[in-house]
Amino acid sequence: MPPAPAKPNRGDARVALVAAGRKLFAEQGYDATTTRQIAAEAAVSHALLRYHFSSKAGLRDAVDDDVLGSFTNAVASAREEGIEDGALAEVGRATALLFGADQERRRYLRRVLIDGDDRAAALLARLVSGAEREVERLLPQPSALPPEHRRWAAYQTLFLILGPLLLEPALHAVLGSDPFAPETLAQRSNANQRLLQHGLFA
């Protein structure tokens, strides 16, 4: 008789539950996904979901933290490639690593933002806050930018990043190829950097 498969430890179970929640929330939406479906997808007991996250809302918070926290890891990876800390190219490469390498995280962000509920507003607010920090870090003289321009700088940067993510299915059809394929993503990232540095009609 073959031995029974080993049960995941609690740390592994937590990682599996976050991954399962991210996948099912992206596919079905938050409201339509049950905690029992998530536990089944993660191949762990339903009690472990309650143990780690208390509720479905707690798991959703953990998924948001996982998705948004991935940017820090992507920045670290960009620096490992030798891209200068604080350079626009660093942020461009980090963004490419984050969104280009992980279709599931793109699908999750797209689903949350398109659903347009309070969670979408909260997630967008966190994205804007992060973009504001990056803009402040990259501007050589933040005070030289007029207040009305500084207000929109983070949003404009996010529009360049989130636009292709939100439009990915239609963009794939229009381009006739994967808009997040490495070569296409690199070309778009370089074009965005040029746009941000020099302006389109300057």
Side-chain angles (χ1 to χ4, degrees):
M1 185 175 185
K7 293 182 179 180
N9 62 43
R10 286 179 172 175
D12 291 339
R14 190 183 193 284
V15 172
L17 285 163
V18 169
R22 188 176 62 232
K23 178 177 183 289
L24 293 178
F25 292 156
E27 290 177 353
Q28 303 175 175
Y30 174 78
D31 290 337
T33 301
T34 69
T35 54
R36 294 197 179 277
Q37 286 176 324
I38 295 167
E41 176 71 26
V44 302
S45 72
H46 185 258
L48 277 175
L49 189 150
R50 295 287 178 184
Y51 171 81
H52 284 292
F53 306 105
S54 299
S55 64
K56 186 169 74 166
L59 175 60
R60 180 176 59 182
D61 290 339
V63 172
D64 284 355
D65 289 341
D66 167 74
V67 171
L68 297 182
S70 298
F71 187 77
T72 301
N73 296 331
V75 168
S77 296
R79 289 175 185 167
E80 287 173 5
E81 294 181 8
I83 299 176
E84 180 185 355
D85 180 16
L88 185 60
E90 173 206 25
V91 176
R93 179 58 181 154
T95 303
L97 287 168
L98 173 58
F99 295 115
D102 200 323
Q103 183 183 42
E104 193 171 278
R105 282 182 170 83
R106 296 200 305 271
R107 292 177 63 197
Y108 177 77
L109 279 173
R110 182 162 61 243
R111 184 65 186 244
V112 173
L113 293 173
I114 288 175
D115 280 352
D117 57 8
D118 290 344
R119 173 60 48 167
L123 189 64
L124 181 59
R126 291 180 65 180
L127 288 168
V128 170
S129 179
E132 286 174 339
R133 288 193 298 271
E134 289 302 313
V135 168
E136 290 293 315
R137 186 170 70 93
L138 292 170
L139 282 173
Q141 292 181 313
S143 60
L145 196 64
E148 64 273 19
H149 291 175
R150 288 183 68 185
R151 178 193 175 195
W152 286 105
Y155 289 94
Q156 289 168 324
T157 303
L158 275 180
F159 294 160
L160 289 172
I161 296 170
L162 295 179
L165 182 149
L166 294 171
L167 297 171
E168 182 176 356
L171 194 56
H172 195 296
V174 171
L175 293 175
S177 60
D178 180 3
F180 285 89
E183 183 178 355
T184 304
L185 192 59
Q187 290 174 354
R188 188 167 72 247
S189 178
N190 289 336
N192 286 346
Q193 291 173 45
R194 178 173 176 77
L195 177 64
L196 289 170
Q197 287 177 313
H198 305 291
L200 186 59
F201 301 111

